[in-house]
Amino acid sequence: MPTAPKKHASTDFLRLPPGGVVSCTEGWLPAEQAAAIYKELLESLDWRQLPVYLFGRWIPQPRLTDFHGDPGTRYRYAGLDLHGRGWPAALDVLRESVVLHTGERFNTVLCNLYRDGNDYMGWHADDERELGRDPIIASISLGASRRFLLRPARGRRGERHEFVLASGSLLLMAGDLQHHWQHQLPKALRVDQPRINLTFRRVSG
Ligand SMILES: O=C(O)CCC(=O)C(=O)O
């Protein structure tokens, strides 16, 4: 049985060995702005439940997704082949803000809609080739608060860690985190409201 994760304050900075970094900033977007963007994206994005290829079979993703990026960008994971075709205005404004905040020139965003606490994302690392060796990932949360967990990747030792991601928070993952740690957004059966997550990534090739 894994031990209980170490809980972190919603504004915290973590170093996860050997060279990973996670930071969480609650209230990065003011509450009113987060609520307005949440409503706009919920209503305007093209939310779909796409099938993914995992463990040798095609299964519906346990959440809805949409993808945007600069024309010509391409992101592939779990059998999906996603192409950037430009930016809806609301996402472009957020992109500019995270670029200014981090200095990273993000050119895509993967949008996740968890309709309620039954929707989730399983353990994984963002380690696709097009993200490069040590990607910076900027993740904005909107809507219902959900738990976000980190654990050492297979073959490594260490504690589990937990953040609660509230609406308007910004989570950053950087350094070599994606090589040595995995993350997930578990089910939360008491949550009956939707949550949107936007993960800005820089892809090449
Ligand atoms: O919804 C979240 O906060 C997690 C998203 C995530 O892990 C991903 O897009 O890779």
Side-chain angles (χ1 to χ4, degrees), residues 73-115:
T73 51
R74 183 177 185 193
Y75 187 50
R76 280 165 286 180
Y77 73 95
L80 291 179
D81 188 359
L82 307 170
H83 292 260
R85 298 199 168 85
W87 292 82
L91 288 178
D92 206 16
V93 168
L94 286 179
R95 190 250 299 242
E96 280 173 16
S97 302
V98 286
V99 167
L100 272 177
H101 185 83
T102 59
E104 178 72 344
R105 286 175 297 127
F106 297 107
N107 56 6
T108 64
V109 64
L110 182 61
C111 312
N112 293 299
L113 171 59
Y114 304 87
R115 292 160 289 186

Coordinates of all heavy atoms in Angstrom, one line a residue, residues 73-115:
T73 N 1.8 23.4 -35.7 CA 2.3 22.6 -34.5 C 1.5 21.3 -34.5 O 0.4 21.2 -35.0 CB 2.0 23.4 -33.2 OG1 0.7 23.8 -33.1 CG2 3.0 24.5 -33.0
R74 N 2.1 20.3 -33.9 CA 1.5 19.0 -33.9 C 1.9 18.3 -32.5 O 3.1 18.4 -32.1 CB 2.1 18.2 -35.0 CG 1.6 16.8 -35.2 CD 2.2 16.2 -36.4 NE 1.6 14.9 -36.7 CZ 2.1 14.0 -37.5 NH1 3.2 14.3 -38.2 NH2 1.5 12.9 -37.7
Y75 N 0.9 17.6 -31.9 CA 1.2 17.0 -30.6 C 0.6 15.6 -30.7 O -0.6 15.5 -31.0 CB 0.6 17.8 -29.5 CG 1.0 17.3 -28.1 CD1 2.3 17.0 -27.8 CD2 0.0 17.1 -27.2 CE1 2.6 16.6 -26.5 CE2 0.3 16.7 -25.9 CZ 1.6 16.4 -25.6 OH 1.9 15.9 -24.3
R76 N 1.4 14.6 -30.4 CA 0.8 13.2 -30.5 C 1.0 12.5 -29.1 O 2.0 12.6 -28.5 CB 1.6 12.4 -31.5 CG 1.2 12.7 -32.9 CD 2.2 12.2 -33.9 NE 3.3 13.0 -33.9 CZ 4.4 12.9 -34.7 NH1 4.5 11.9 -35.5 NH2 5.4 13.7 -34.7
Y77 N -0.1 11.9 -28.6 CA 0.0 11.1 -27.4 C -1.1 10.1 -27.5 O -2.2 10.3 -28.0 CB -0.1 11.9 -26.2 CG -1.5 12.5 -25.8 CD1 -2.3 11.8 -25.0 CD2 -1.9 13.7 -26.4 CE1 -3.6 12.3 -24.6 CE2 -3.2 14.2 -26.1 CZ -4.0 13.5 -25.2 OH -5.2 14.0 -24.9
A78 N -0.8 8.9 -27.0 CA -1.8 7.8 -26.8 C -2.6 7.6 -28.1 O -3.9 7.4 -28.1 CB -2.7 8.0 -25.6
G79 N -2.0 7.6 -29.3 CA -2.7 7.4 -30.5 C -3.4 8.6 -31.1 O -3.9 8.5 -32.2
L80 N -3.4 9.7 -30.4 CA -4.0 10.9 -30.9 C -3.0 11.7 -31.7 O -1.8 11.7 -31.3 CB -4.6 11.8 -29.8 CG -5.8 11.3 -29.0 CD1 -6.1 12.3 -27.9 CD2 -6.9 11.1 -30.0
D81 N -3.4 12.4 -32.7 CA -2.5 13.2 -33.5 C -3.2 14.6 -33.7 O -4.1 14.7 -34.5 CB -2.4 12.5 -34.9 CG -1.3 13.2 -35.7 OD1 -0.7 14.2 -35.3 OD2 -1.1 12.7 -36.9
L82 N -2.8 15.5 -32.9 CA -3.5 16.8 -32.8 C -2.7 17.9 -33.5 O -1.5 17.9 -33.4 CB -3.6 17.2 -31.3 CG -4.2 16.1 -30.4 CD1 -4.1 16.5 -28.9 CD2 -5.7 15.9 -30.8
H83 N -3.4 18.8 -34.2 CA -2.8 19.8 -35.0 C -3.2 21.2 -34.6 O -4.4 21.4 -34.4 CB -3.1 19.6 -36.5 CG -2.5 18.3 -37.0 ND1 -1.3 18.3 -37.8 CD2 -2.8 17.0 -36.9 CE1 -1.0 17.1 -38.1 NE2 -1.9 16.3 -37.6
G84 N -2.3 22.1 -34.4 CA -2.6 23.5 -34.1 C -3.1 24.2 -35.3 O -2.5 24.1 -36.4
R85 N -4.2 25.0 -35.1 CA -4.8 25.7 -36.3 C -5.1 27.2 -35.8 O -6.1 27.7 -36.3 CB -6.0 25.1 -36.8 CG -5.8 23.6 -37.3 CD -6.8 23.1 -38.2 NE -6.4 21.9 -38.9 CZ -6.4 20.7 -38.3 NH1 -6.9 20.5 -37.2 NH2 -6.0 19.6 -39.0
G86 N -4.4 27.7 -34.9 CA -4.6 29.1 -34.4 C -5.3 29.0 -33.0 O -5.6 28.0 -32.5
W87 N -5.5 30.3 -32.5 CA -5.9 30.4 -31.1 C -7.2 31.2 -31.0 O -7.4 32.3 -31.5 CB -4.8 31.3 -30.4 CG -3.5 30.5 -30.2 CD1 -2.6 30.4 -31.2 CD2 -3.1 29.8 -29.1 NE1 -1.5 29.7 -30.7 CE2 -1.8 29.3 -29.4 CE3 -3.7 29.5 -27.8 CZ2 -1.1 28.5 -28.5 CZ3 -2.9 28.8 -27.0 CH2 -1.7 28.3 -27.3
P88 N -8.2 30.6 -30.3 CA -9.4 31.4 -29.9 C -8.9 32.6 -29.0 O -7.9 32.4 -28.2 CB -10.2 30.4 -29.0 CG -9.7 29.1 -29.3 CD -8.3 29.2 -29.7
A89 N -9.5 33.7 -29.0 CA -9.0 34.9 -28.4 C -8.8 34.7 -26.9 O -7.7 35.1 -26.3 CB -10.0 36.1 -28.6
A90 N -9.7 34.0 -26.2 CA -9.6 33.9 -24.7 C -8.4 33.0 -24.4 O -7.7 33.3 -23.3 CB -10.9 33.2 -24.2
L91 N -8.0 32.1 -25.2 CA -6.9 31.2 -24.9 C -5.6 32.0 -25.2 O -4.5 31.8 -24.6 CB -6.9 29.9 -25.7 CG -8.0 28.9 -25.2 CD1 -7.9 27.7 -26.1 CD2 -7.7 28.5 -23.7
D92 N -5.6 32.8 -26.3 CA -4.4 33.6 -26.7 C -4.0 34.6 -25.6 O -2.8 34.7 -25.3 CB -4.7 34.3 -28.0 CG -3.4 34.5 -28.8 OD1 -2.4 33.8 -28.4 OD2 -3.4 35.3 -29.7
V93 N -5.0 35.2 -24.9 CA -4.7 36.1 -23.9 C -4.0 35.4 -22.7 O -3.0 35.9 -22.2 CB -6.0 36.8 -23.4 CG1 -5.8 37.6 -22.1 CG2 -6.6 37.7 -24.4
L94 N -4.5 34.2 -22.4 CA -3.9 33.4 -21.3 C -2.5 33.0 -21.7 O -1.6 33.0 -20.9 CB -4.8 32.2 -21.0 CG -6.1 32.5 -20.2 CD1 -6.8 31.2 -20.0 CD2 -5.8 33.1 -18.8
R95 N -2.4 32.6 -22.9 CA -1.1 32.2 -23.4 C 0.0 33.3 -23.2 O 1.0 33.1 -22.7 CB -1.1 31.8 -24.9 CG 0.1 31.1 -25.4 CD 0.9 31.9 -26.4 NE 0.2 32.2 -27.6 CZ 0.6 31.9 -28.8 NH1 1.6 31.0 -28.9 NH2 0.0 32.3 -29.8
E96 N -0.5 34.5 -23.6 CA 0.5 35.7 -23.5 C 0.8 35.9 -22.0 O 2.0 36.2 -21.7 CB -0.2 37.0 -24.0 CG -0.1 37.0 -25.5 CD -0.9 38.2 -26.1 OE1 -1.2 39.1 -25.4 OE2 -1.1 38.2 -27.3
S97 N -0.1 35.7 -21.1 CA 0.2 35.9 -19.7 C 1.2 34.8 -19.2 O 2.1 35.2 -18.4 CB -1.1 35.8 -18.8 OG -2.0 36.7 -19.3
V98 N 1.0 33.6 -19.6 CA 1.9 32.6 -19.0 C 3.3 32.7 -19.7 O 4.3 32.4 -19.1 CB 1.4 31.1 -19.1 CG1 0.3 30.8 -18.1 CG2 0.9 30.7 -20.5
V99 N 3.3 33.2 -20.9 CA 4.6 33.4 -21.6 C 5.4 34.5 -20.8 O 6.5 34.4 -20.5 CB 4.4 33.8 -23.1 CG1 5.7 34.3 -23.7 CG2 3.9 32.6 -23.9
L100 N 4.6 35.6 -20.5 CA 5.3 36.7 -19.8 C 5.7 36.2 -18.4 O 6.8 36.6 -17.9 CB 4.3 37.8 -19.5 CG 4.2 38.9 -20.6 CD1 3.1 39.9 -20.3 CD2 5.5 39.6 -20.8
H101 N 4.9 35.4 -17.7 CA 5.2 34.9 -16.4 C 6.4 34.0 -16.3 O 7.2 34.0 -15.4 CB 4.0 34.2 -15.8 CG 4.1 33.8 -14.4 ND1 3.8 34.6 -13.4 CD2 4.4 32.6 -13.9 CE1 4.0 34.0 -12.2 NE2 4.4 32.8 -12.5
T102 N 6.5 33.1 -17.4 CA 7.6 32.1 -17.3 C 8.8 32.3 -18.2 O 9.8 31.7 -18.0 CB 6.9 30.7 -17.8 OG1 6.5 30.9 -19.1 CG2 5.8 30.3 -16.9
G103 N 8.5 33.1 -19.3 CA 9.6 33.3 -20.2 C 9.6 32.2 -21.3 O 10.5 32.2 -22.2
E104 N 8.8 31.2 -21.2 CA 8.7 30.1 -22.1 C 7.8 30.4 -23.2 O 6.6 30.9 -23.0 CB 8.3 28.8 -21.4 CG 8.2 27.6 -22.3 CD 9.5 27.0 -22.7 OE1 10.6 27.7 -22.6 OE2 9.6 25.9 -23.2
R105 N 8.2 30.2 -24.5 CA 7.3 30.5 -25.6 C 6.4 29.4 -26.0 O 6.6 28.6 -26.9 CB 8.2 30.9 -26.8 CG 8.8 32.3 -26.6 CD 9.8 32.7 -27.7 NE 10.9 31.8 -27.8 CZ 11.4 31.2 -28.9 NH1 10.8 31.3 -30.0 NH2 12.4 30.4 -28.8
F106 N 5.3 29.2 -25.2 CA 4.4 28.2 -25.4 C 3.7 28.3 -26.7 O 3.3 29.4 -27.1 CB 3.3 28.2 -24.3 CG 3.9 27.9 -22.9 CD1 4.0 28.9 -22.0 CD2 4.4 26.6 -22.6 CE1 4.6 28.7 -20.7 CE2 4.9 26.4 -21.3 CZ 5.0 27.4 -20.4
N107 N 3.6 27.2 -27.5 CA 2.9 27.3 -28.8 C 1.7 26.4 -28.9 O 1.1 26.4 -30.0 CB 3.9 27.1 -29.9 CG 4.6 25.8 -29.8 OD1 4.3 25.0 -29.0 ND2 5.6 25.5 -30.7
T108 N 1.4 25.7 -27.9 CA 0.1 24.9 -27.9 C -0.5 24.9 -26.5 O 0.1 25.2 -25.5 CB 0.4 23.4 -28.2 OG1 1.2 22.8 -27.2 CG2 1.1 23.2 -29.6
V109 N -1.8 24.5 -26.5 CA -2.5 24.3 -25.2 C -3.4 23.1 -25.4 O -4.1 23.0 -26.3 CB -3.3 25.5 -24.7 CG1 -4.4 25.9 -25.7 CG2 -3.8 25.3 -23.3
L110 N -3.3 22.2 -24.4 CA -4.2 21.0 -24.3 C -5.2 21.3 -23.3 O -4.8 21.7 -22.1 CB -3.4 19.8 -23.9 CG -4.2 18.5 -23.9 CD1 -4.8 18.1 -25.2 CD2 -3.2 17.3 -23.4
C111 N -6.5 21.3 -23.6 CA -7.5 21.7 -22.7 C -8.3 20.4 -22.3 O -8.7 19.6 -23.1 CB -8.5 22.6 -23.5 SG -7.8 23.9 -24.4
N112 N -8.5 20.3 -21.0 CA -9.2 19.2 -20.4 C -10.4 19.6 -19.7 O -10.4 20.6 -19.0 CB -8.3 18.4 -19.4 CG -7.1 17.8 -20.0 OD1 -7.3 16.9 -20.8 ND2 -5.9 18.2 -19.6
L113 N -11.6 19.0 -19.9 CA -12.8 19.3 -19.2 C -13.2 18.0 -18.4 O -13.5 17.0 -19.0 CB -13.9 19.7 -20.2 CG -15.3 19.8 -19.6 CD1 -15.3 20.9 -18.4 CD2 -16.3 20.2 -20.6
Y114 N -13.1 18.1 -17.1 CA -13.6 17.1 -16.2 C -15.0 17.5 -15.8 O -15.3 18.4 -15.1 CB -12.7 17.0 -15.0 CG -11.2 16.9 -15.3 CD1 -10.4 18.0 -15.5 CD2 -10.7 15.6 -15.3 CE1 -9.1 17.8 -15.8 CE2 -9.3 15.4 -15.6 CZ -8.5 16.5 -15.9 OH -7.2 16.4 -16.2
R115 N -16.0 16.7 -16.4 CA -17.4 17.1 -16.2 C -17.9 17.1 -14.8 O -18.7 17.8 -14.4 CB -18.3 16.2 -17.1 CG -18.0 16.4 -18.6 CD -18.5 15.2 -19.4 NE -17.6 14.1 -19.2 CZ -17.7 12.9 -19.9 NH1 -18.7 12.8 -20.8 NH2 -16.9 11.9 -19.7

